Amino acid sequence: MKSYSESYKESGVDITAGYKAVELMKKHIARTTNARCLSGIGGFGGLFEPDLTGIANPVFVSGTDGVGTKLKIAFLTGLHNTVGIDCVAMCVNDIICAGAKPLVFLDYIATGKNIPEKIASIVEGVAEGCVQAGCVLVGGETAEMPCFYPEDEYDLAGFSFGVVDKAKIITGDGMRVGDVLLALPSSGVHSNGFSLVRKVFNISSETVGRYCPEFSRTLGEELLTPTRIYVKPVLELLGKVSVQGISHITGGGFYENIPRSIREGFSAKIEKAAVKSPPVFEVIAREGGIPERDMFNTFNMGVGMTVIVPAAEASKALDVLHGCGTDAYVLGEIVEGDGGVILC
């Protein structure tokens, strides 16, 4: 007998819609699977057999995050197939900071009403993010929660874990004065600071559809630009140079995130003129009258990730990153200090 409950449906939860959503998302999930994935979707847990060849002392590194209020832009535009990339990016970009290779990802979608086509569209983005990160979407959960969420809204969060050889964990122990700070460009605002972004632009269904000549597209399309995933270029870099520190620039901007990869007794000196910021940040600052200090303490300002390498290896590091299609550049240097960021 097929699972079905009329009483449950009358309360607002249609379990058959969940089954349909699973069927629709299967083709997207299939893009991420490989021989290490030992289970399909539908079980109580995702099974994955890691390949630990060449890893003497494996250490698992985990990360979890959500998309935040950027989802409000998706609700207003009706575009749901990119926020999943953001969800994956916010997790795997954290994991790579320890030098770990992401292996698996799981998502959690909570919604007021399960519309199978919308859920499948969200998972399409999650799958694309997993493909970009080289990890497997081993499972997830869709929770229909009437009266808890509005029918046309949802929340999206994710969890990922990866592995690194203990001897290769990035600790910064070899960091020295004169080491070079490299910038890996962002694709835009990414998934942070959207409470401020929404306030600045007075976000509504009308404003997200407004064409902006600065972006050559609508405001909604610009703000929904997915977070860039840095896993593959950074993994390539780790095999070629001595990386001393990596920071994922998320909420808190430069001032909060860059110090997380710097050893005690050092600071990062950055010339503001070196920062290559996309037009969206200039527009946000202008429209919101936001001070420069607050911009650098809220947004990535065009730098989605920073990597610290010895000065003697900076040129080689840039060659590797450029070869991976990443337009990296020198952002600053390591100096003696109190662990903070010096913007000059």
Side-chain angles (χ1 to χ4, degrees), residues 160-172:
S160 184
F161 82 80
V163 66
V164 61
D165 197 320
K166 187 174 182 179
K168 296 181 179 180
I169 296 174
I170 298 173
T171 62

Side-chain angles (χ1 to χ4, degrees), residues 2 14 18 26 29 76-77 82 116 133 169 182 197 227-228 247 250 252 254 257 259 278-279 299 327 336 343:
K2 292 184 177 180
D14 184 358
K26 280 183 177 179
I29 297 172
L76 291 170
T77 60
T82 61
I169 296 174
L182 304 179
V197 169
T227 302
R228 185 162 288 166
S247 284
T250 56
F254 281 36
N257 293 289
F299 302 108
D327 193 18
E336 292 183 354
L343 276 174

